[in-house]
Structure formats: C-alpha cells, structure tokens
Amino acid sequence: DKVDAALGGLTGAATNKNDLETLVNGAAEKRKTHEYYNAAKTARDTYDNAIAAATTVLNKENVTQDEINAEKDKVDAALGGLTGAATNK
C-alpha cells in the first residue's frame, strides 16, 4: 500500500553529531589557551556565540545533518579567529 511504499522510501541515515559534540565538549579547555584568552574580544565573542548556538542545535529534537554541519562550520570558522599570541612572561 501507499504508506508502506512511502516508508520504504525513507532512507536517511542517522544524524552524526560526533564532530560537533567534540568541539562543544572541548570549549572549556579551548578557553584556557592563549589562542583564546589573548584573542581580540570580538573573536572570543564569536567563538562563545558559536559554541552556544551549537549547544542549542545539539539539544534540538529531530535535528538534521545539515543543521549539524552548518553549526560545525560556524564553530570551525570561529576557531580560526582565535589567534591570540602566547603571553611573554
């Protein structure tokens, strides 16, 4: 019947959150690095906002792979902005 045929057409894979979860779970450690704390405030804010948004998406029910990928890209871009130099002690 039509319902069975429609169900048979649903071939989507499970959403893979692993890479984004790793980035979110590593945020506390990243904030302890000179790349973070010596970065420009705007770069730190961008990173913090990307992590917050990623956390929201990870907790979203029925999140899609496209949503996960988009948030991972945002976090990766924000990481690229964390260019604080080592503190000269």
Side-chain angles (χ1 to χ4, degrees), residues 23-39 44 47-48 51 79 82 84-87 89:
L23 290 170
V24 169
N25 292 339
E29 286 302 312
K30 185 63 179 175
R31 289 183 181 111
K32 295 177 185 176
T33 67
H34 64 81
E35 291 93 348
Y36 177 85
Y37 60 75
N38 285 339
R44 293 191 314 266
Y47 176 75
D48 292 340
I51 291 295
L79 276 168
L82 297 178
T87 303
K89 297 180 182 179

